[in-house]
Amino acid sequence: SPTAGAGTLLVMATIYALHAPLQEYLVRGTLQSPLQQFLGGTGGHWSPIIASNLIFSAFHLYISFGFALVTFLPGLFWGWLYARHGTLIGVSVSHILLGLWTVFVVGIEGVV
């Protein structure tokens, strides 16, 4: 927010940086991973990525359809990254950096 002080912005950025890896753990670790095992070879690795992202994005529909779409698109990349490497570290770092840039540089109003 343009009227927020530097301290408030720092607290918000810190909370986001802690929250993003939790989101990745939930979406990749508790949704995508079991779906990969369950679906096996059906549809390649994209079926679990798309399914887990649809579920996660649906949780954001209460904000707006645009925001749900904004969460879905990078989730495809992060899902692919997780399927390729099998670790949450790179996915979480990417999520933190992209999220901080989107919220604090671009401004969420410009994204949604």
Side-chain angles (χ1 to χ4, degrees), residues 72-94:
F72 182 77
L73 295 176
L76 293 175
F77 168 70
W78 293 325
W80 169 81
L81 194 64
Y82 178 72
R84 182 168 188 237
H85 295 285
T87 180
L88 291 172
I89 295 170
V91 176
S92 295
V93 170
S94 174

Side-chain angles (χ1 to χ4, degrees), residues 16 20 78 93-105 108:
Y16 183 85
W78 293 325
V93 170
S94 174
H95 189 152
I96 291 167
L97 293 176
L98 183 62
L100 289 174
W101 177 78
T102 302
V103 173
F104 296 102
V105 175
I108 197 69

Side-chain angles (χ1 to χ4, degrees), residues 6-106:
T8 301
L9 291 176
L10 181 60
V11 168
M12 289 170 56
T14 301
I15 290 170
Y16 183 85
L18 295 172
H19 184 72
L22 175 63
Q23 287 183 327
E24 290 305 329
Y25 171 76
L26 293 172
V27 176
R28 310 296 158 222
T30 65
L31 287 175
Q32 184 176 327
S33 286
L35 284 170
Q36 283 174 319
Q37 292 175 356
F38 178 72
L39 294 174
T42 60
H45 64 273
W46 283 106
S47 295
I49 293 170
I50 291 169
S52 60
N53 279 313
L54 284 172
I55 293 166
F56 183 70
S57 294
F59 288 127
H60 295 84
L61 285 171
Y62 75 95
I63 297 172
S64 73
F65 180 78
F67 192 75
L69 185 62
V70 165
T71 63
F72 182 77
L73 295 176
L76 293 175
F77 168 70
W78 293 325
W80 169 81
L81 194 64
Y82 178 72
R84 182 168 188 237
H85 295 285
T87 180
L88 291 172
I89 295 170
V91 176
S92 295
V93 170
S94 174
H95 189 152
I96 291 167
L97 293 176
L98 183 62
L100 289 174
W101 177 78
T102 302
V103 173
F104 296 102
V105 175
V106 174

